[in-house]
């Protein structure tokens, strides 16, 4: 995570994630699903400003007027959890420039929450251990600990058990999101009804990452077990996957529980042409180039 300070103010830039693979392994008694996934930070960022205030309380503003600004916002909740845990009697003003599309399966809310935990720990000189920060992060959501780590990582359990992996190969990605999101509970329900047909894909990618690999090899190993159920639920996802392939992507895959999809391209010029074509075909929809990053 990139950050800079000026006195009591901190600016942070937190990257989105893509699930290069997503296996749904089983449904637990408590209703949660055990997964295995290779998660990857990519160069689409939210920008946060944190300001310390003498008077207690957490306030939040964001560039998207439809996002909640109270405790329903994961970034506000992260600040409250942090202040309560550390017993610090200060106030925090959070301002977020949202660039990560909302409801995309790119972990935007989780990214913001992780940035707040990471930022407050530095601003307040509380020096929590990595383990303590990760434990706090997990109370906010299964994906939040990944954003403290970044880079390429294997996520297991409900997504919280993380193992850093060698970085995925350089390649150009195109990320696109249909106008509408997809409800995660509804998607899991449909997925459970269909049954699990996929052999897990994550072990093969984890193995392959241990050696130098090409973008084409990476593309051949990306998959998402929930993609077919998601396409049934929201055909626009299937449409965008097809458009990415037709525009020359080596592979096209949905991230998380959607609704964003990503194409892996061998050449950046082909990827740029794909962005132009898809922006024209889907005015107002999120379509962006992205790269793989270490942060
Ligand atoms: P994931 O990949 O973890 O499933 P997502 O990308 O599908 O997440 P988010 O963009 O994190 O989903 O947002 C999902 C919901 O969370 C939205 O309904 C939104 O109102 C709420 N939310 C709360 N805080 C935030 C935040 N800081 N940024 C974006 N969404 C937020």
């Amino acid at each position: 995570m990139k950050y800079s300070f000026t006195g009591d103010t901190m600016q942070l830039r937190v990257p989105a994630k893509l699930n290069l693979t997503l296996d749904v392994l089983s449904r637990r008694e408590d209703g949660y699903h055990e997964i295995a996934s290779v998660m990857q930070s990519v160069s689409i960022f939210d920008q946060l400003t944190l300001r310390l205030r003498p008077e207690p309380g957490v306030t939040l503003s964001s560039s998207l007027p439809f996002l909640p600004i109270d405790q329903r916002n994961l970034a506000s909740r992260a600040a409250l959890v942090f202040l309560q845990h550390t017993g610090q009697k200060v106030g925090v003003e959070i301002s977020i420039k949202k660039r990560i599309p909302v409801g995309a399966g790119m972990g935007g809310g989780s990214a913001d929450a992780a940035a707040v935990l990471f930022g407050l720990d530095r601003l307040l000189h509380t020096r929590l251990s990595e383990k303590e920060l990760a434990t706090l992060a997990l109370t906010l959501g299964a994906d939040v600990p990944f954003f403290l780590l970044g880079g390429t990582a294997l996520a297991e359990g409900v997504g919280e058990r993380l193992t850093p992996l060698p970085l995925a190969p350089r390649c150009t990605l195109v990320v696109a999101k249909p106008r509408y999101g997809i409800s995660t509970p509804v998607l899991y329900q449909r997925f459970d009804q269909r049954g699990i047909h996929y052999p897990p894909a994550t072990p093969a990618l984890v193995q392959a990452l241990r050696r130098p690999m090409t973008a084409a090899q990476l593309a051949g190993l990306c998959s998402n077990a929930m993609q077919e159920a998601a396409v049934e639920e929201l055909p626009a996802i299937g449409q965008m996957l097809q458009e990415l392939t037709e525009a020359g992507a080596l592979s096209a895959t949905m991230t998380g529980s959607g609704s964003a999809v990503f194409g892996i391209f061998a050449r950046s010029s082909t990827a740029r042409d794909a962005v132009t074509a898809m922006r024209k075909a889907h005015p107002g929809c999120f379509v962006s180039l992205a790269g793989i990053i270490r942060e």
Side-chain angles (χ1 to χ4, degrees):
M1 212 176 308
K2 289 253 163 65
Y3 64 95
S4 62
F5 286 103
T6 16
D8 276 356
T9 303
M10 187 174 188
Q11 316 256 9
L12 299 108
R13 207 179 67 149
V14 61
K17 61 89 175 163
L18 294 176
N19 297 86
L20 298 177
T21 61
L22 178 57
D23 298 323
V24 182
L25 302 175
S26 61
R27 188 173 181 277
R28 302 195 316 201
E29 297 255 305
D30 61 9
Y32 282 98
H33 289 77
E34 291 272 334
I35 63 139
S37 174
V38 175
M39 292 172 75
Q40 175 63 55
S41 299
V42 294
S43 58
I44 294 167
F45 304 93
D46 276 357
Q47 287 173 29
L48 287 88
T49 305
L50 306 179
R51 283 191 192 87
L52 294 182
R53 291 281 178 241
E55 58 284 359
V58 173
T59 59
L60 183 139
S61 61
S62 97
S63 56
L64 293 182
F66 60 85
L67 280 185
I69 54 168
D70 56 15
Q71 285 187 39
R72 284 169 301 159
N73 195 301
L74 217 48
S76 297
R77 220 178 309 149
L80 291 165
V81 162
F82 186 90
L83 294 175
Q84 194 176 24
H85 179 80
T86 55
Q88 298 278 325
K89 304 269 181 284
V90 291
V92 183
E93 201 180 290
I94 304 168
S95 137
I96 309 179
K97 264 193 209 153
K98 287 292 301 178
R99 296 289 178 267
I100 303 174
V102 175
M106 298 174 73
S110 304
D112 296 346
V116 167
L117 294 179
F118 176 91
L120 287 181
D121 188 44
R122 272 153 190 79
L123 265 177
L124 292 163
H125 308 288
T126 34
R127 293 171 171 267
L128 301 192
S129 67
E130 271 178 30
K131 185 146 185 267
E132 210 172 348
L133 271 180
T135 306
L136 273 189
L138 187 56
T139 66
L140 294 158
D143 280 352
V144 183
F146 169 76
F147 290 95
L148 293 171
L149 187 69
T152 311
L154 169 66
E156 296 171 289
V158 290
E160 84 295 358
R161 238 171 39 231
L162 295 170
T163 312
L165 293 171
L167 197 73
R170 259 178 222 292
C171 55
T172 306
L173 303 162
V174 174
V175 183
K177 180 187 170 291
R179 189 169 307 282
Y180 300 105
I182 191 162
S183 148
T184 304
V186 168
L187 180 57
Y188 268 112
Q189 216 174 0
R190 188 180 274 269
F191 178 80
D192 287 335
Q193 281 162 2
R194 298 171 100 252
I196 297 167
H197 304 296
Y198 282 83
T202 302
L205 179 55
V206 169
Q207 186 72 17
L209 284 167
R210 303 205 186 278
R211 300 225 170 81
M213 68 191 297
T214 62
Q217 285 167 326
L218 174 67
L221 292 168
C222 289
S223 81
N224 185 324
M226 288 201 288
Q227 189 169 299
E228 279 186 19
V231 170
E232 275 177 20
E233 193 64 34
L234 187 63
I237 293 176
Q239 172 74 29
M240 280 190 160
L241 287 168
Q242 193 181 333
E243 287 174 29
L244 283 169
T245 308
E246 284 168 4
L250 298 167
S251 71
T253 314
M254 184 177 81
T255 176
S257 50
S259 60
V261 296
F262 63 95
I264 297 183
F265 288 77
R267 297 167 65 93
S268 50
S269 55
T270 319
R272 275 197 299 273
D273 290 347
V275 167
T276 307
M278 289 184 78
R279 282 192 179 148
K280 203 165 161 207
H282 304 277
C285 285
F286 178 90
V287 181
S288 176
L289 283 179
I292 276 173
I293 56 167
R294 284 173 190 277
E295 292 169 51

